[in-house]
Structure formats: structure tokens, C-alpha cells
Amino acid sequence: MRARAAAAAAAAIVVLVIVIASTGGSRAAPPATGAATVVPGDALAYVHVSIEPNRPAVSAALKLAQRFPTYPLIAAGAVARLSAIVAGGGTADFAHDIRPWLGREVALALLNTQTSTAGSELVLDVARRTLAHAFILRAGASTDAAYRGIPVYRYRSGAALAFVRHYLVVGQPASVRSAIDAATGQLPSLDASPVYRGAASGEAADRVLDVYASSAGVQRLLVPQGGLIGALGALLYEPDLTGVAVSLSAAGTEAKLRVHAVFDPNLPGHGGSGAFTPSLDGELPAGSLLALDVIGLDRIAPHVLNAGTAGGIGVQIGPLLRQLGAALAAEGVDVKQIESLFSGETVVAIPPGRGLVIVTRTKDEQAVRTELANLEVPLSQLFPPPASGSGQVAQIREEALDGVSAHQLILAPGLELDYAVFRGLIAVSTSLRGIADVVRHPRSLIDESAYRATLSGRPDRVTSLVFLDFSQLLNLAEQTGLLRGTRYRALQPDIARVRAAGLDSTRGEADSTAELTLQIS
């Protein structure tokens, strides 16, 4: 499927909302959404943008976008691409030729077909039909055969056009005919689709962007892409997924992204998962770069690792952990029992001292100390020194940290595993400093202003909680060489504008909702 070209067209539509919002206004209302009535109900994906210049939400998106250094260049490129599509591959001045007749919304749909290539349908709200009609004729459109009584036009490029209700639809001839069928009731429209309506339910009134994908759309458009897009598709897709909707809104220096997925309750694989009231964020030190708070890490980790593998991210981690587990089991270690220690609320974090730390709670400290102590020798035996040349014998040490006994296993050069059991907590880290950060911190993560700014509106009970101090993470990634290359250097000025991110998720019997807040400098 030609998803990359479709994604580029979608990006042009997304940026459009920022470009054409040129004036503020006093009218606060939900966006116009009628474009979905001329899109077939089985569409794989649908991108919808509010372009009403008098909507305060659109003005807010414009102001936030202007904080990004490369915005003018990206916006100009997106407008040029969109203008070329509407003009049938020719050139057009957006402000002079298109904006005067354009209405309140623009949408792009990727349509289901019998082939491996998705159809595409661009939908533009038309406020002044006479001007729009004159424009397409000047751009070279000629009259083609009518379909269901509606005139269809054709560009020399082969693209078809039709005025359907108060919309101009542009796409392949089959796509335009499908739009007419949806508008005239010959095909179910996306607007009437129960899956689409369920996925889009609960969206904020101040949104400027909506993105919808059906289960087939996630499988066909996202998962095969690889990289971050492929990882996102793997995270979103579940066997009982029916559809997912993403909406974006902006206010002041914050951008809010809402992801709502709906599931078929009659299919296996889903169900309301255990919600919890986060408490471990108070056990992490202020200045932590990352915190992922979940319940049942032993169950969630494989899904996250599989998503990373699908996206080409950390592809070796999953296989290495499986090999390690198999080796420990061969040494007589009850791996399942060790994993079960992290079946309750567990937080994975990067504290100020760097490294990685995992913290969970226990009601039986002595039993856990015994289990972890019994793991030390089998684990150290998996890392013998090389038969020849310089090497290092695995070392097991015990250190006192403010009265807390911390165990340090130095397994190989640059590889260690440390743990401590104290105050009803189990802390496991890749460095002794990570354990020390949890044991002794005068201020906790919940005292951080960025944490409060991005997560203060979270529900009392969630199924996961994520915080990222984006600025510190970016610096760490640059120092360790994880981020480099010409593509990163081009994006770095924009990425650096994101100061922090907070995400909370909830899950029910037939849906799940994740809300992401980005703090922009």
C-alpha cells in the first residue's frame, strides 16, 4: 500500500489548520464535522482539520505552532502541496485562488479497495461555490460524465472532482464516485458508522484536528511502516480493536492529544484492566527524567517490547531478555516467581543520577530479600570471565545507604544490577546511584512544576501514567549518541521546544482512553 505518499498528503492537511488561521474571534464552538458525510463508512483512515479563522481554538493552534522555529518553512511547503493537489498538479496561489472560496473544514480519507493500494479522497468545505467552480475551470478541469446526477470533472492528471453538497471532493475517479454514493445514501457514510462514532465520542470541543483509523487501517497503514509509526501501530492494534480516534487541541503553551480506542466486547483479548491510584510517583526523586507507572509490568512489558521490535526500536532487548530468562530457568531459578514481584503497581524511571530504576511495593520484605539473594549466584554465573585475555570476575557487594542495605552485582564491564528492599519497596536499578536516589531524596517527583503542569488533570484512578522531562531526556540522548544524523539536526530546534510530557490512560470493558499533555516553551 502506498501509505508513505498518503501520509505526506495527510501531513499537508494537518499543517493547513495552522496556516490559514489568520484572525482571532469570539465564537467558541465545536468544529464543523460534516465532511464525514461524504466519506464511505469503511474508510481505512480519516484526517479532519478545522480551518475556521474565527474559532478561538484555531487561533490558539496558530500561536502555539509559531513557537516552533521551522514552522514557516513547513507551513509553506504544506500549503504548496495542498494547492497543487486542488489545482490538479498545477500551480496556484493559496491566499488568492483558494482561500476566498474555502469554508470551515478540510479532510483527507484513505479508502478501502480491493487492491493493495488505498484510494484517497480530499474533501474541502466550499463557502462560495461560484468562485470554486471558476477556479477548477481555470486550473484545467473539464466536464466528464455525470454520476448519479452530479457532474464530475477531470484534470489532465487523471484526478476527478465533484461538488457534493457544499463540498469539493478531489481524488481518483472511483474515490469520487464512492463519495457521491455515501452522500446520496447508496453507501453507508463514515458519519453514520457506529465504529467511527464510538471512537470519536468524548472529543474535546476545542479540538482542531481529528484522526480516525479503523482496525484494518491500523493493520494496513501503520503496522507495516516500521520506525515510530510502526511501533505506534503495534501498540494500538489488538485483535478486538474496531477503531481508534486521535484529537488535538491547543491552549496557551500546552498541546493536548487524546487517543480513544474502541473494542468489540464479544471478541476475546480485551476487558477492563485493573485501574489503580498512582502512589509510586511520590517515591521517586525530583528531577527524574522519566517515569512509567503501571499495574502488572510483568504482563505489559512483552507487549511494549513487541511494539518496539515492530518499529525497529530496541530490537535486541526482547530476545536478550528471553535468553536470560531461559538461562536462569536452566539454573533452577523460578523466573515466573521473580516476575510476579512486579505484578502490582510498578514504576520504571530514570532518576537524576541516570541509569534505570524499577520500583514496586511488597508486603513481605523478608521473603523478597530471600528470593533476590537466591538469584545473585545463578545470575553471576551467567557472566563468566573470558577464557583468555583480560576479563572481569562477577562481583557481589553490599553497600549501606542511610541505613538501607543495597546489593550490588557487577556482572561485566559496564554491566551491573543493584537492588534494595526497604520501606515496603523493592528497588532494582542498573546503578547504585539509582538506588540511592530512591532511598534519599528531599523532594519527590510530584513536587516538580512540570509534573504538576502535565498531569494535574489526570483521573484519580488510571491504568497507566507516564511523565517525560523532555529537555533532560533530549540532552541525555545527545550525550550518549542515541540522537544524531542530518534528520535529527533538522528537527532538533523544534524538538527542543517540548519541555515536558505527561500521559494518563484509562480502560473500560469496551474502550480505552489516553490523554497526552505537551508543555511547549
Side-chain angles (χ1 to χ4, degrees):
M1 184 163 295
R2 299 172 186 171
R4 293 188 185 277
I13 302 298
V14 170
V15 176
L16 182 66
V17 68
I18 299 169
V19 178
I20 60 181
S22 58
T23 61
S26 59
R27 191 153 54 99
T33 58
T37 63
V38 297
V39 174
D42 64 347
L44 298 174
Y46 176 70
V47 180
H48 176 270
V49 182
S50 172
I51 58 173
E52 241 182 302
N54 290 329
R55 279 191 75 216
V58 177
S59 298
L62 171 65
K63 291 177 182 177
L64 191 62
Q66 289 172 336
R67 292 176 175 267
F68 294 92
T70 60
Y71 157 72
L73 182 62
I74 295 175
V79 168
R81 182 177 181 83
L82 180 72
S83 299
I85 294 173
V86 180
T91 59
D93 183 298
F94 178 83
H96 181 268
D97 297 325
I98 298 175
R99 188 60 187 120
W101 54 263
L102 197 57
R104 300 182 297 168
E105 55 181 321
V106 175
L108 173 70
L110 301 182
L111 308 183
N112 197 10
T113 67
Q114 299 300 314
T115 70
S116 61
T117 302
S120 62
E121 173 190 339
L122 180 64
V123 183
L124 302 98
D125 183 27
V126 176
R128 303 174 70 181
R129 181 162 176 168
T130 301
L131 292 181
H133 185 261
F135 167 76
I136 66 170
L137 293 181
R138 288 197 309 272
S142 58
T143 304
D144 202 357
Y147 181 72
R148 300 197 186 280
I150 295 177
V152 177
Y153 301 85
R154 186 76 69 95
Y155 279 130
R156 287 186 292 271
S157 63
L161 310 87
F163 288 96
V164 185
R165 296 178 180 166
H166 58 89
Y167 297 100
L168 174 62
V169 179
V170 185
Q172 298 94 346
S175 298
V176 171
R177 290 194 295 270
S178 293
I180 296 173
D181 285 339
T184 57
Q186 304 301 311
L187 282 177
S189 70
L190 186 64
D191 181 67
S193 165
V195 174
Y196 170 74
R197 285 183 169 273
S201 64
E203 291 179 324
D206 65 348
R207 66 191 184 276
V208 294
L209 167 70
D210 304 271
V211 180
Y212 162 80
S214 66
S215 177
V218 172
Q219 284 184 284
R220 294 174 61 181
L221 300 177
L222 299 183
V223 174
Q225 291 302 301
L228 289 176
I229 295 177
L232 175 62
L235 281 173
L236 289 174
Y237 180 73
E238 296 185 41
D240 54 345
L241 177 74
T242 58
V244 60
V246 181
S247 60
L248 175 69
S249 58
T253 59
E254 290 184 354
K256 291 185 178 293
L257 196 70
R258 179 181 185 267
V259 182
H260 184 227
V262 290
F263 305 92
D264 185 342
N266 299 314
L267 293 178
H270 192 71
S273 87
F276 67 100
T277 300
S279 63
L280 290 173
D281 47 2
E283 303 292 347
L284 296 177
S288 293
L289 286 67
L290 173 146
L292 166 63
D293 198 355
V294 297
I295 190 166
L297 181 65
D298 57 330
R299 175 179 48 82
I300 293 172
H303 183 55
V304 175
L305 289 173
N306 288 339
T309 300
I313 304 167
V315 294
Q316 299 299 324
I317 296 177
L320 284 175
L321 289 178
R322 286 190 287 270
Q323 291 175 19
L324 180 60
L328 287 172
E331 293 289 331
V333 175
D334 188 343
V335 176
K336 290 294 184 183
Q337 178 61 28
I338 297 297
E339 291 176 347
S340 70
L341 297 177
F342 306 96
S343 61
E345 183 191 357
T346 305
V347 62
V348 180
I350 299 178
R354 306 299 190 258
L356 188 73
V357 63
I358 302 174
V359 181
T360 190
R361 297 192 183 278
T362 180
K363 295 180 179 179
D364 193 340
E365 292 187 17
Q366 188 53 51
V368 173
R369 288 191 185 98
T370 300
E371 284 187 56
L372 295 180
N374 291 338
L375 182 64
E376 292 179 1
V377 173
L379 186 60
S380 64
Q381 289 176 343
L382 297 180
F383 296 88
S388 61
S390 60
Q392 176 178 307
V393 177
Q395 302 177 44
I396 302 175
R397 299 174 179 171
E398 190 171 346
E399 299 282 344
L401 302 172
D402 291 354
V404 172
S405 177
H407 294 245
Q408 184 181 35
L409 283 71
I410 303 176
L411 303 171
L415 176 62
E416 68 175 88
L417 184 67
D418 310 287
Y419 73 88
V421 183
F422 59 98
R423 298 198 306 261
L425 302 173
I426 307 171
V428 181
S429 180
T430 57
S431 73
L432 199 61
R433 174 75 181 275
I435 301 292
D437 281 343
V438 178
V439 171
R440 46 167 105 120
H441 57 270
R443 296 175 62 248
S444 66
L445 181 60
I446 58 177
D447 297 320
E448 289 280 8
S449 59
Y451 185 86
R452 294 195 302 270
T454 55
L455 289 170
S456 60
R458 64 177 168 87
D460 291 335
R461 293 178 63 77
V462 300
T463 51
S464 68
L465 199 69
V466 181
F467 171 74
L468 301 173
D469 186 324
F470 214 81
S471 299
Q472 288 198 73
L473 279 174
L474 192 62
N475 290 335
L476 177 62
E478 290 176 343
Q479 292 169 10
T480 55
L482 292 177
L483 293 177
R484 52 188 162 188
T486 55
R487 178 176 296 181
Y488 169 69
R489 286 195 295 271
L491 294 174
Q492 196 276 338
D494 291 320
I495 296 174
R497 287 293 185 180
V498 182
R499 309 302 297 174
L503 179 144
D504 62 76
S505 69
T506 56
R507 195 160 186 166
E509 290 295 333
D511 71 336
S512 68
T513 304
E515 295 193 351
L516 172 68
T517 300
L518 298 175
Q519 191 179 48
I520 311 298
S521 64

